[in-house]
Amino acid sequence: MCLIMKSGIIRLSALLIALPLFYYSCTIIDNNVVETGYGLKVQNGMVVSAYPDASIIGVKILQNGGNAVDATAAIHFALAVCNPAAGNLGGGGLLVVRESDGNIAALDYREKAPLVAARDMYLDDKGEVIPGLSTSTHLASGVPGTVAGIAEVHNKYGNLSFKEVIQPGIDLARQGFIVSDKLARSLNKMKDRFIERNSHITAFVKDESWVEGDTIRQPELAETLELIRDYGMDGFYRGRTADLIIKEMERVNGIITHGDLENYKAVWRDPITGSYKGYRIISMPPPSSGGVAIIQLLGMIENYPVSEWGFHSDKSIHLMTEAERRVYADRAEYLGDPDFVKIPVEELMGIDYLAGRMSDFNPDQSGDSRDISAGSIPGYESEETTHFSVVDGDGMAVSVTTTLNGAYGNGIVVEGAGFLLNNEMDDFSVKPGYPNIYGLIGGEANSIQPDKRMLSSMTPTIIEENGELFMIVGSPGGSTIITSVFQTILNVIEFNMDMQTAVSAGRFHHQWLPDQISVESDVFDTLLVQKLEKMGHTIAKRPSIGRVDAIRVLSDGSYEGGADPRGDDTAAGY
Ligand code: GLY
């Protein structure tokens, strides 16, 4: 440790927590200085992720000659070790990359329904949803896409060898990592579930409770990562790891087969692009609803004076809520896997369509979700998932969101392979009109079909200003991902916040149904709640919303981090 510099704490009534303005520390690793902290500003390269070890691993890759995609691969594998609630090998993800020359691409490595999956597989004889089947059992897992996704993006863009980018994750699994207080509490809460759902003792369970400072070692996960290091995708989708996944499936009611694993492929898709007040927004297309929704939200509010109305004023909250109500209604009706359903993407994002959707906006009165259905086009956890943002010295940027769906997925660890399985099948509409774990309602576009990808809310996003890289942003949080990203963007562009303040600021959320504004505790004061209730809104307090990890490029070309203080999220750079 070479230096700790602490300077200033501010408390704003509308902010969720006491916000450290600056809190830097720097560590010398292999003769290189890695800076970490809130409000971090660096010149050469930055990573903001959900756990300090993963952020530091990413920066070390950058310092050793890797580019942003090499760092992305290394962070992804590291998070599979030190962020077991959401980092994963047994899940999937979505990412957007912008090369230093401005070329953009989006990679879809979302999980898929197994080939024998069926539309009504979670319903009983009477057509009723069987509680827990799509969330808490082997049957809840989609075919994992993460390893295919990392291999694909690294193969296309990486500079370093695959072995170099995966080795830090292997070392972290084998040598262990230090457990934070938040992680210790989370694992202790999950203990009974891990014991109940697994026939073996997992690395996440020990006799005593976990406490901050403990070390978790994961030798079985290290072995799986070594197979991936030595055989690439075949180290996961074929051979020993695949056999262990199938054996785990056969233990109870799983349906993933060797054929499902062997056939899995990540897919390059055209990113969603749109504009907001001169900024270019680049985000994820379907099977995520995130990109379409963020363009819709920004488009619906663009012509209103939100900066004049002010951050968390009753007027701006009301406007943003009414836009969210309409956008989530569209999500439920139109969005799904583009390989299976025709999605009117351009129409949904069209200026006229968005203006029409807001034509019945009443500045003094809340809408009623019973009156709002999807727009007419001519012709949905615990809310886990994790996001990280990366930028290298050349300005190559990667925005990545990856998930097991619920915290620790379905809680089932593949015996002998050491990784958790996802419960992503619940992101399908298991029955039209039936809410998933996020309370999201879905329709036919997101019904279950063999080999289909379930609709996501993940919103990995990159923003340009005047053709140059400006921001990398995203969040976990199920249905609240989209609104967390929306608010963070507005906090910077409309309310002039620096990146850290924008990320730390309190959040609220509306998703059409249920018809309520969810708000982090104490973020709205009594007077504000009264004003919103007078307009007709229902206010529901809840625990934290989203964990945004973002990077902004400053006018001098340096990078400013925003690490979400709601978690162990850490900005690291050099
Ligand atoms: N599993 C959360 C999402 O993809 O939206």
Side-chain angles (χ1 to χ4, degrees):
M1 199 68 83
C2 60
L3 170 75
I4 293 186
M5 185 182 87
K6 217 172 170 178
S7 156
I9 303 275
I10 57 166
R11 233 177 241 281
L12 300 180
S13 64
L15 296 186
L16 176 70
I17 55 159
L19 168 68
L21 273 179
F22 305 103
Y23 193 135
Y24 296 178
S25 74
C26 52
T27 312
I28 299 176
I29 302 166
D30 302 335
N31 292 324
N32 289 316
V33 175
V34 178
E35 294 188 61
T36 56
Y38 291 115
L40 184 67
K41 291 181 186 151
V42 296
Q43 295 293 330
N44 298 304
M46 184 178 269
V47 174
V48 191
S49 87
Y51 212 74
D53 304 62
S55 295
I56 289 171
I57 281 171
V59 172
K60 283 170 67 180
I61 290 285
L62 296 177
Q63 291 175 326
N64 291 335
N67 63 22
V69 167
D70 291 309
T72 292
I75 297 159
H76 226 309
F77 287 123
L79 286 170
V81 178
C82 61
N83 182 24
N88 66 83
L89 296 183
L94 305 171
L95 67 79
V96 174
V97 57
R98 181 185 183 277
E99 294 177 84
S100 51
D101 63 5
N103 280 328
I104 55 172
L107 185 63
D108 166 3
Y109 50 105
R110 181 76 164 155
E111 299 93 324
K112 296 178 95 165
L115 284 167
V116 297
R119 189 180 191 283
D120 296 336
M121 63 189 278
Y122 299 111
L123 307 186
D124 64 17
D125 295 346
K126 297 188 181 96
E128 300 300 331
V129 174
I130 304 169
L133 207 55
S134 65
T135 56
S136 314
T137 70
H138 290 68
L139 197 58
S141 296
V143 184
T146 291
V147 175
I150 304 175
E152 178 65 31
V153 71
H154 180 263
N155 186 42
K156 183 163 176 177
Y157 295 104
N159 278 341
L160 302 182
S161 69
F162 195 66
K163 286 187 169 49
E164 285 172 282
V165 299
I166 197 171
Q167 193 60 45
I170 297 172
D171 296 343
L172 200 62
R174 204 167 278 295
Q175 293 160 15
F177 70 95
I178 306 295
V179 174
S180 71
D181 176 56
K182 287 190 176 91
L183 179 55
R185 281 191 272 135
S186 163
L187 289 171
N188 292 337
K189 217 170 106 190
M190 291 293 295
K191 183 173 182 173
D192 291 347
R193 187 178 296 180
F194 286 135
I195 292 170
E196 181 193 310
R197 294 189 192 166
N198 292 281
S199 57
H200 61 294
I201 305 295
T202 74
F204 309 121
V205 172
K206 64 181 176 94
D207 290 340
E208 316 80 42
S209 293
W210 292 100
V211 291
E212 182 180 5
D214 281 349
T215 299
I216 297 188
R217 292 187 183 81
Q218 299 171 77
E220 290 183 348
L221 180 57
E223 211 175 316
T224 301
L225 287 165
E226 283 163 352
L227 287 169
I228 298 167
R229 176 194 63 195
D230 297 340
Y231 301 101
M233 273 182 66
D234 283 355
F236 185 87
Y237 292 99
R238 293 168 189 267
R240 182 178 187 271
T241 312
D243 290 347
L244 289 171
I245 295 172
I246 302 312
K247 198 171 157 207
E248 186 61 56
M249 286 289 135
E250 287 168 352
R251 192 168 69 78
V252 192
N253 59 351
I255 55 171
I256 294 174
T257 62
H258 277 289
D260 285 315
L261 294 171
E262 286 163 17
N263 288 332
Y264 187 88
K265 282 191 180 56
V267 182
W268 289 102
R269 301 196 187 273
D270 291 333
I272 289 285
T273 59
S275 71
Y276 181 73
K277 298 195 174 170
Y279 293 86
R280 183 175 184 230
I281 316 293
I282 304 157
S283 194
M284 195 70 209
S288 182
S289 56
V292 170
I294 203 79
I295 303 290
Q296 287 192 300
L297 287 169
L298 291 167
M300 283 181 185
I301 68 153
E302 187 164 11
N303 294 325
Y304 295 86
V306 286
S307 58
E308 193 183 299
W309 289 346
F311 172 71
H312 282 187
S313 66
D314 54 334
K315 284 184 170 177
S316 35
I317 292 167
H318 174 58
L319 173 71
M320 290 161 72
T321 297
E322 291 307 322
E324 289 167 9
R325 187 193 306 282
R326 289 158 175 79
V327 165
Y328 279 82
D330 281 356
R331 179 194 192 277
E333 175 70 20
Y334 291 115
L335 296 184
D337 182 344
D339 296 339
F340 283 75
V341 285
K342 189 163 164 27
I343 306 172
V345 169
E346 293 307 323
E347 291 87 341
L348 285 168
M349 302 191 308
I351 292 171
D352 292 342
Y353 175 75
L354 297 177
R357 287 296 269 149
M358 290 300 277
S359 60
D360 58 351
F361 168 67
N362 181 336
D364 302 315
Q365 183 65 44
S366 81
D368 185 333
S369 290
R370 287 171 299 192
D371 302 333
I372 304 272
S373 52
S376 158
I377 301 286
Y380 336 118
E381 112 197 73
S382 102
E383 298 167 341
E384 284 298 335
T385 294
T386 188
H387 176 83
F388 58 96
S389 296
V390 190
V391 64
D392 65 23
D394 292 331
M396 181 185 218
V398 193
S399 188
V400 187
T401 315
T402 180
T403 186
L404 288 166
N405 198 24
Y408 305 92
N410 58 6
I412 295 161
V413 178
V414 177
E415 186 167 2
F419 60 85
L420 282 147
L421 290 167
N422 69 79
N423 57 356
E424 215 73 58
M425 291 294 285
D426 191 65
D427 266 350
F428 279 116
S429 172
V430 300
K431 179 181 175 181
Y434 185 85
N436 71 3
I437 54 174
Y438 308 112
L440 288 166
I441 308 289
E444 200 50 49
N446 190 33
S447 62
I448 303 171
Q449 290 180 56
D451 216 28
K452 187 178 178 183
R453 286 165 155 90
M454 56 295 283
L455 184 60
S456 173
S457 297
M458 295 190 283
T459 314
T461 298
I462 294 176
I463 302 177
E464 290 176 357
E465 181 182 26
N466 301 322
E468 303 290 334
L469 179 66
F470 176 67
M471 197 194 294
I472 310 158
V473 58
S475 179
S479 57
T480 69
I481 293 174
I482 297 164
T483 47
S484 297
V485 172
F486 178 46
Q487 288 166 80
T488 306
I489 293 171
L490 294 183
N491 288 349
V492 172
I493 293 178
E494 294 289 359
F495 305 124
N496 284 320
M497 294 184 198
D498 59 65
M499 195 72 260
Q500 184 60 57
T501 310
V503 166
S504 302
R507 300 189 188 114
F508 62 93
H509 170 77
H510 194 291
Q511 59 179 47
W512 177 48
L513 294 171
D515 191 349
Q516 62 183 31
I517 301 177
S518 306
V519 60
E520 292 176 313
S521 310
D522 303 329
V523 162
F524 291 175
D525 60 28
T526 312
L527 187 61
L528 180 55
V529 170
Q530 279 175 356
K531 284 180 179 169
L532 291 166
E533 285 178 343
K534 213 169 151 201
M535 289 176 180
H537 293 290
T538 300
I539 311 295
K541 290 189 180 181
R542 53 157 285 168
S544 69
I545 296 177
R547 283 188 195 168
V548 175
D549 284 338
I551 299 171
R552 180 168 75 150
V553 184
L554 300 175
S555 52
D556 65 359
S558 61
Y559 303 130
E560 179 195 20
D564 205 314
R566 293 163 180 81
D568 292 314
D569 303 60
T570 304
Y574 73 111

